[in-house]
Amino acid sequence: MNLDMVPDLTMRGQDDPHGRAVTPRPPTVGQLAARLGALAARPADWWHLVRFESGRPVRVPLDGGDGVRLWLTTWPPGHRTDVHDHDGVEVSTVLAGELAEVSISADGVTERPLRANRVRVRGAARTHELTNPGPAYAISLHAGLTSP
């Protein structure tokens, strides 16, 4: 067994040990999902930012760094977004309550509940709307890549 590669394998994801410039790459969808899951598991980092307004959702930007947009949204009961799509990939998770997503495609219209502790990935140019069908507020956390 050739162990010459072991030091190179252990350095994966780190700065180049030979001093060469490393070109930063945007995070993958999996890395966005992992970051979102880790942040969701630390309510001390975001709970103090939650704001409840009865007339509209409250969207609070969070510090994402390295080309990532992060935001927290509080949804009042019964609120519905307009039908819209996104320019890029978005990853989200429901932290409290329940949201419902209506997706619209050439194949038809589908509705699915979005429940807490599940990460959801939406592709670019996917038309949908979100609603809070419940009697209580819902809180969600979102991540996406910033435009270049």
Side-chain angles (χ1 to χ4, degrees), residues 48-73:
H48 64 283
L49 299 170
V50 173
R51 301 288 178 263
F52 300 99
E53 290 190 24
S54 60
R56 65 179 182 85
V58 178
R59 182 176 170 164
V60 177
L62 305 173
D63 182 25
D66 70 345
V68 175
R69 291 176 293 119
L70 288 173
W71 67 97
L72 180 73
T73 304

Side-chain angles (χ1 to χ4, degrees), residues 35-131:
R35 185 181 296 186
L36 211 60
L39 183 57
R42 297 188 318 266
D45 290 353
W46 51 263
W47 182 250
H48 64 283
L49 299 170
V50 173
R51 301 288 178 263
F52 300 99
E53 290 190 24
S54 60
R56 65 179 182 85
V58 178
R59 182 176 170 164
V60 177
L62 305 173
D63 182 25
D66 70 345
V68 175
R69 291 176 293 119
L70 288 173
W71 67 97
L72 180 73
T73 304
T74 305
W75 304 82
H79 180 77
R80 169 176 254 115
T81 67
D82 293 330
V83 175
H84 64 282
D85 60 12
H86 300 272
D87 292 336
V89 173
E90 180 184 307
V91 178
S92 63
T93 188
V94 176
L95 302 169
E98 183 177 321
L99 295 174
E101 178 184 37
V102 176
S103 296
I104 304 161
S105 70
D107 297 331
V109 176
T110 57
E111 183 173 347
R112 71 187 311 189
L114 303 176
R115 295 191 175 95
N117 302 318
R118 295 186 181 159
V119 175
R120 175 86 168 103
V121 176
R122 279 180 213 76
R126 182 178 175 141
T127 304
H128 72 138
E129 74 174 355
L130 296 171
T131 185

